Amino acid sequence: MTDIQKDASRVLIFDTTLRDGEQSPGATMTLSEKLAIAALLDEMGVDVIEAGFPIASDGDFEAVSEIARQAQNAVICGLARAAKGDIDRAWAALEHAKRPRIHTFIGTSPLHRQHQLAMDKEQVLRKIEETVGHARSLCENVQWSPMDATRTERDYLIETVKVAVASGATTINIPDTVGYTAPRESAEIIRDLLANVPGLDKCVVATHCHNDLGMATANALAAVEAGARQIECTINGLGERAGNTALEEVVMALKVRRDIMPYHTGVDATKIMRASRLVATASGFPVQFNKAIVGKNAFAHESGIHQDGVLKNAETFEIMRPEDVGLTANALVMGKHSGRAAFRAKLKDLGIELGDNAFQEAFVRFKALADQKKDVYDDDILALVDDERTAAANDRIRLKFMRVIAGTLDPKSADVTLTIDGTDVQATAQGDGPVDAAFKAIDSLVPHEAVLKVYSVQAVTDGIDAQATVSVRLEEGGRLVTGQAADTDTIVASARAYVIALNRLMVRRDKTASHRTVSLAG
């Protein structure tokens, strides 16, 4: 008997940050970053972690395999197309997991049948029967998805699900692959399937929504009200194009509005902010300020009326407490006289655990930051630790030294020393400004053909001595990579973010070299 059959109000959370989320252009993550994210998802109570697409590359296979070894509680899922080789490769990565799941899919809409598969309806049905049956012969836990389900003829969608259930699928996932549906239709599809597919009530019915029209969360919740009991989602809504249903949004919506949506998840919501920050750092995708639940402004009040109300009673303008999602007050508690014990206690309070070496490196950077800043806030410490983690995970190239000449007179120049594969190299370059000069000096030491597509600067905290978080995005041959770094010196943060992006570019090059052409479900 499944958890869903035991408790009809239980909604499973299926996180695909490491698979669909990584398909965001520029969001490539390293193995160590994926392992850290998977460990946190497992710890916070996510039911299913889709760890990757094992046949896509050797790197994806290694990540899924290692996550499968390390996971303690969650089901670990690997994606596979409707092909025996894909399914065998997924099982090879998953077979040592405590709780493995194979997720296989095929396009079912007229557009996908005609233009992607060149198959008719009967051929698709036979392929479903063959591949779902093969997956079930390897693994008891099999999920099947009809890609582009929301643009599939309803009667044919019902037929495909019938075949998948009869062939052994234990979870049926209905993907809104291109973000096309709306809440009423999302619910209608689930109701039609439950009413017309024999045996579907013995399976878990799932929903997977994209956010192209800004309705992913609404569509997912509508599907739950209609009978779906698994939501596929990502941290921060990361994903292709406009992204996926955001985990933090559905978890908190069900928590806050249980009066009208009497369902619950097993996710520890107090770990949401920690997961959001970790994914933002690993992916290089900063969270927009007004993002629901995890954005910087989510619990900020500037209007005088709002501030007055919150001071009198927080519930006047807050429907949830900051601490419900693990957000600590931005209070000054640390300074240059704080010692290791106080720093370790602060990290623990922020939900951060570091090994001895990582802690020592972070403490050295903290002391340096405390010498530069009068006030050190929680967000400063989070930015510092996240920055250190990113650098440690991408350390083939590291910035060792930089000095710039800037001002109203030309030339603007930069002297840069990088450590590349353990060897120090130095270059000097001139540019339109200090950032341009620094980037040109780095380019002379790390040849590439990437184009700078995005350069943005945000203050971590308030004040003239605030740390700046710099994000850069590079594009080379269709490969997009993002780097992010923080420092009280904006030029230093810029150079470090640029170096991190170049490290990610190297990872993408290696991944592309071993990549096999695949079509991904969404």
Side-chain angles (χ1 to χ4, degrees):
M1 183 177 290
T2 66
D3 291 339
I4 295 302
Q5 290 167 326
K6 293 177 184 176
D7 182 359
S9 66
R10 176 78 152 84
V11 175
L12 301 176
I13 296 298
F14 177 115
D15 185 277
T16 185
T17 302
L18 300 176
R19 199 277 299 171
D20 204 332
E22 203 197 15
Q23 288 173 216
S24 298
T28 295
M29 305 173 200
T30 65
L31 176 60
S32 60
E33 289 167 340
K34 289 182 178 182
L35 292 175
I37 292 169
L40 180 52
L41 294 174
D42 195 26
E43 177 187 330
M44 68 191 289
V46 166
D47 298 283
V48 186
I49 300 171
E50 189 165 51
F53 195 1
I55 205 166
S57 69
D58 292 340
D60 264 34
F61 180 90
E62 182 184 4
V64 175
S65 183
E66 194 58 36
I67 291 168
R69 284 190 179 90
Q70 295 188 15
Q72 297 300 308
N73 305 303
V75 172
I76 304 302
C77 180
L79 187 67
R81 293 169 300 180
K84 187 175 184 295
D86 278 42
I87 294 168
D88 289 343
R89 184 71 167 163
W91 181 240
L94 293 165
E95 59 182 337
H96 47 267
K98 289 183 178 180
R99 303 174 67 194
R101 175 184 293 185
I102 296 174
H103 178 193
T104 185
F105 70 95
I106 192 170
T108 57
S109 70
L111 285 166
H112 283 243
R113 295 194 309 264
Q114 179 181 350
H115 298 290
Q116 187 178 49
L117 300 172
M119 296 170 68
D120 62 28
K121 289 182 176 180
E122 286 302 316
Q123 288 175 312
V124 171
L125 291 175
R126 289 198 297 272
K127 181 62 72 173
I128 295 168
E129 182 178 24
E130 170 194 335
T131 53
V132 172
H134 180 61
R136 185 57 190 268
S137 73
L138 301 171
C139 182
E140 292 185 359
N141 191 338
V142 175
Q143 176 168 316
W144 178 76
S145 295
M147 185 160 64
D148 206 19
T150 58
R151 294 193 297 172
T152 299
E153 309 95 315
R154 192 70 57 83
D155 58 346
Y156 183 63
L157 180 63
I158 290 170
E159 288 304 308
T160 64
V161 175
K162 284 180 178 178
V163 171
V165 171
S167 301
T170 53
T171 296
I172 298 295
N173 174 52
I174 305 303
D176 183 25
T177 304
V178 294
Y180 180 72
T181 196
R184 183 176 66 183
E185 183 180 62
S186 177
E188 286 175 353
I189 292 172
I190 300 300
R191 290 193 187 100
D192 278 357
L193 292 172
L194 285 168
N196 292 287
V197 178
L200 187 57
D201 59 326
K202 302 296 192 296
C203 301
V204 174
V205 178
T207 179
H208 176 118
C209 301
H210 278 260
N211 204 39
D212 297 71
L213 294 175
M215 294 189 284
T217 295
N219 289 334
L221 294 174
V224 168
E225 289 191 287
R229 288 296 179 268
Q230 176 179 291
I231 297 176
E232 300 206 357
C233 47
T234 61
I235 300 293
N236 298 338
L238 197 66
E240 285 193 284
R241 304 182 312 277
N244 291 267
T245 302
L247 179 148
E248 61 274 9
E249 292 177 14
V250 292
V251 167
M252 293 309 296
L254 293 177
K255 186 179 180 69
V256 172
R257 292 312 312 271
R258 198 169 182 191
D259 57 326
I260 61 171
M261 293 183 289
Y263 314 105
H264 66 281
T265 74
V267 172
D268 179 355
T270 64
K271 292 181 170 61
I272 282 176
M273 284 303 302
R274 183 176 157 199
S276 173
R277 288 162 172 156
L278 181 59
V279 170
T281 301
S283 66
F285 277 50
V287 178
Q288 67 193 60
F289 280 16
N290 63 336
K291 169 72 177 66
I293 315 298
V294 293
K296 186 174 182 179
N297 291 349
F299 295 95
H301 303 276
E302 186 166 332
S303 162
I305 295 175
H306 283 217
Q307 290 176 340
D308 179 65
V310 169
L311 289 172
K312 292 174 179 175
N313 186 326
E315 292 183 4
T316 55
F317 289 102
E318 289 184 354
I319 60 173
M320 54 194 155
R321 301 173 304 167
E323 53 266 35
D324 290 341
V325 296
L327 183 65
T328 58
N330 195 31
L332 172 65
V333 292
M334 302 292 288
K336 64 181 180 179
H337 298 297
S338 300
R340 285 177 174 80
F343 185 62
R344 191 180 294 278
K346 168 52 66 177
L347 293 180
K348 183 178 181 180
D349 182 52
L350 294 172
I352 298 170
E353 295 181 8
L354 299 176
D356 291 341
N357 291 338
F359 172 81
Q360 181 58 31
E361 291 175 0
F363 181 71
V364 170
R365 288 199 63 200
F366 160 71
K367 295 296 279 187
L369 177 64
D371 283 337
Q372 297 169 8
K373 277 178 60 67
K374 177 181 178 182
D375 299 334
V376 180
Y377 296 92
D378 288 356
D379 282 346
D380 288 314
I381 294 172
L382 287 165
L384 178 152
V385 173
D386 287 343
D387 196 35
E388 189 66 36
R389 281 172 169 168
T390 301
N394 300 277
D395 58 0
R396 186 174 174 188
I397 308 169
R398 302 199 72 165
L399 178 67
K400 182 175 183 179
F401 168 84
M402 185 177 69
R403 178 174 55 202
V404 298
I405 297 176
T408 57
L409 300 177
D410 290 329
K412 283 82 173 178
S413 65
D415 296 323
V416 173
T417 300
L418 301 180
T419 302
I420 303 178
D421 293 330
T423 301
D424 290 348
V425 290
Q426 186 274 336
T428 300
Q430 295 181 352
D432 294 334
V435 173
D436 183 50
F439 286 5
K440 285 179 176 176
I442 293 169
D443 289 345
S444 70
L445 299 172
V446 186
H448 61 87
E449 297 180 0
V451 176
L452 180 64
K453 306 295 288 187
V454 174
Y455 172 80
S456 67
V457 182
Q458 296 178 348
V460 174
T461 51
D462 297 329
I464 196 169
D465 61 351
Q467 285 192 98
T469 293
V470 176
S471 297
V472 300
R473 183 172 296 181
L474 305 177
E475 180 179 10
E476 180 187 71
R479 294 182 291 261
L480 283 170
V481 293
T482 305
Q484 190 177 81
D487 199 278
T488 52
D489 187 323
T490 304
I491 313 303
V492 172
S494 301
R496 296 184 70 223
Y498 196 65
V499 166
I500 289 168
L502 290 174
N503 275 299
R504 292 182 184 275
L505 184 61
M506 291 185 176
V507 172
R508 286 296 300 272
R509 285 173 179 170
D510 293 342
K511 188 171 183 178
T512 301
S514 62
H515 185 77
R516 308 176 194 186
T517 302
V518 293
S519 173
L520 302 183

